[in-house]
Amino acid sequence: MGSIQERNILVEKVCQIYDKISKLETLKPSKDVDTLFSQLVFTCIPPSSVNILTLPKDIQEIRSKLIRLCGEAEGHLEAHFSTLLATFQNPLHHLDVFPYYSNYLKLSRLEYDILSEHCSAQSWPPKRVAFVGSGPLPLTSIVLASYHLKETTFHNYDIDSLANAMASCLVAPDPDLSRRMIFHTTDIMDVTDELKKYDVIFLAALVGMDIDEKLKVVQHLAAYMTPGSILMLRSAHGARAFLYPVVDPQDLRGFEVLSVFHPDDDVINSVVISRKSPMNSNIAHKHHHQQLGVNESIIPSSCKYCEFQMFNPLNHMIEELAVDE
């Protein structure tokens, strides 16, 4: 009974915050916007047993709208700070002005540890990485390229040309990153054979605001990624699913899910690492071109997607999170 009561209190509070956010004239950074979204994050971030899928339909609809509002607000926030950073002679020396920079340091370290755990010695470190949905402030790519994968080339994909122009300005003064970070203005659904060139592809949490949209992207990646390459996805767990879409490992047909990690600290996103299945690549192409619905099988997966390895990267992070200023 206690857990039900706690769930009801949580849902009621989230709905109250949603109601206030939905009435804002703009979601660009301001005192009101910052206050409401901070309240939302603080409400959703504590560990919770709430199962989003069991909530009533009207709450599900509010959640879907809230995720889109979060995505819009996040876009405005990144654009605001990307513009601010561009005023510095070397923007990359001032990334800590972004209020959630420390979260990106932790998340990037987490993803690096998970990635290194599951890549073979022959494929490590990856030579070419793609980040889909990089935005105007591509912090994941910047942090990984600066501190963890120092020889890797990062290809950043975003559909918004202005976002890419802003992101390019941030790395342009840096002789190393300007050489290793490439920006592509295109819809990832229009990228085909080029996807075969990447050892690892990261899919941003807000690429595909709902599960159907996200699975269309995953289906497209399954059709064109090289067998054995890695797909890194961001998901959400518990009440954090009010902030970001949830990726069910069972939906990743065509991929072998290697591990799922749910942080319990201020890193909001869960991390799902999967490997492109080596089997039936031709079937993936055939089904993709026939434009099957996202709930249909892309590839009969030969993997055991439920075989999650008990790997806790946070055990490795404490001593290594310090970043040279």
Side-chain angles (χ1 to χ4, degrees):
M1 178 66 77
S3 61
I4 295 177
Q5 185 177 7
E6 290 174 5
R7 186 199 71 174
N8 291 340
I9 292 173
L10 170 68
V11 170
E12 182 179 1
K13 188 169 184 180
V14 168
C15 289
Q16 289 173 350
I17 297 173
Y18 161 75
D19 186 58
K20 294 177 182 178
I21 290 176
S22 65
K23 293 176 180 176
L24 292 170
E25 292 183 3
T26 177
L27 294 179
K28 293 182 179 180
S30 68
K31 183 177 179 180
D32 289 341
V33 171
D34 296 347
T35 298
L36 286 173
F37 278 100
S38 293
Q39 290 176 359
L40 180 64
V41 170
F42 289 142
T43 299
C44 296
I45 205 169
S48 170
S49 60
V50 63
N51 184 347
I52 294 296
L53 299 179
T54 64
L55 297 178
K57 184 178 180 181
D58 59 331
I59 304 300
Q60 298 274 13
E61 291 174 353
I62 287 176
R63 172 182 170 256
S64 295
K65 294 175 182 177
L66 187 55
I67 288 174
R68 291 184 181 276
L69 291 173
C70 288
E72 183 180 345
E74 189 171 310
H76 286 308
L77 185 69
E78 290 188 5
H80 172 80
F81 279 96
S82 183
T83 301
L84 175 62
L85 284 165
T87 64
F88 293 101
Q89 184 174 0
N90 194 327
L92 302 188
H93 292 173
H94 303 275
L95 293 177
D96 56 357
V97 303
F98 185 66
Y100 301 108
Y101 179 57
S102 62
N103 294 65
Y104 276 90
L105 287 176
K106 293 178 183 178
L107 179 57
S108 298
R109 178 72 219 192
L110 170 64
E111 291 176 324
Y112 170 79
D113 282 340
I114 293 174
L115 188 60
S116 63
E117 178 79 4
H118 291 286
C119 283
S120 65
Q122 294 78 13
S123 60
W124 186 260
K127 294 180 179 179
R128 290 167 57 94
V129 169
F131 194 98
V132 180
S134 48
L137 188 59
L139 284 175
T140 299
S141 293
I142 290 173
V143 171
L144 286 173
S146 299
Y147 303 115
H148 304 305
L149 298 172
K150 298 183 179 182
E151 303 297 326
T152 302
T153 301
F154 286 78
H155 290 254
N156 301 281
Y157 287 86
D158 202 284
I159 199 169
D160 186 343
S161 59
L162 179 58
N164 275 336
M166 297 172 74
S168 297
C169 286
L170 300 183
V171 301
D174 188 284
D176 177 37
L177 262 61
S178 61
R179 176 180 59 86
R180 292 192 293 119
M181 291 191 67
I182 301 165
F183 296 90
H184 304 272
T185 301
T186 184
D187 187 334
I188 198 63
M189 299 296 284
D190 295 328
V191 183
T192 55
D193 290 342
E194 188 174 344
L195 295 174
K196 295 183 175 68
K197 300 177 182 178
Y198 300 117
D199 305 304
V200 180
I201 295 181
F202 285 81
L203 187 62
L206 292 173
V207 173
M209 291 290 197
D210 61 41
I211 192 59
D212 285 349
E213 293 175 2
K214 190 174 291 289
L215 290 183
K216 287 179 182 177
V217 178
V218 172
Q219 172 184 350
H220 179 75
L221 296 176
Y224 291 101
M225 286 176 63
T226 297
S229 58
I230 296 292
L231 175 63
M232 299 282 289
L233 301 102
R234 292 172 179 175
S235 183
H237 183 67
R240 301 173 187 212
F242 281 109
L243 307 174
Y244 291 102
V246 175
V247 176
D248 188 335
Q250 298 186 49
D251 290 328
L252 300 181
R253 298 184 179 91
F255 293 93
E256 175 191 2
V257 177
L258 304 173
S259 179
V260 178
F261 182 77
H262 300 302
D264 57 7
D265 60 358
D266 57 350
V267 174
I268 296 176
N269 290 118
S270 300
V271 178
V272 181
I273 181 171
S274 60
R275 180 180 288 118
K276 170 67 188 299
S277 172
M279 302 298 291
N280 299 321
S281 295
N282 291 333
I283 293 177
H285 281 283
K286 180 180 178 182
H287 284 197
H288 181 74
H289 288 300
Q290 290 175 343
Q291 296 182 336
L292 292 177
V294 295
N295 290 326
E296 297 185 52
S297 175
I298 304 166
I299 303 176
S301 177
S302 61
C303 71
K304 279 80 173 174
Y305 54 73
C306 57
E307 191 175 328
F308 303 141
Q309 298 192 18
M310 296 303 292
F311 170 62
N312 187 350
L314 292 180
N315 291 337
H316 305 288
M317 288 170 54
I318 304 301
E319 296 181 357
E320 298 178 277
L321 267 180
V323 176
D324 294 334
E325 296 294 331

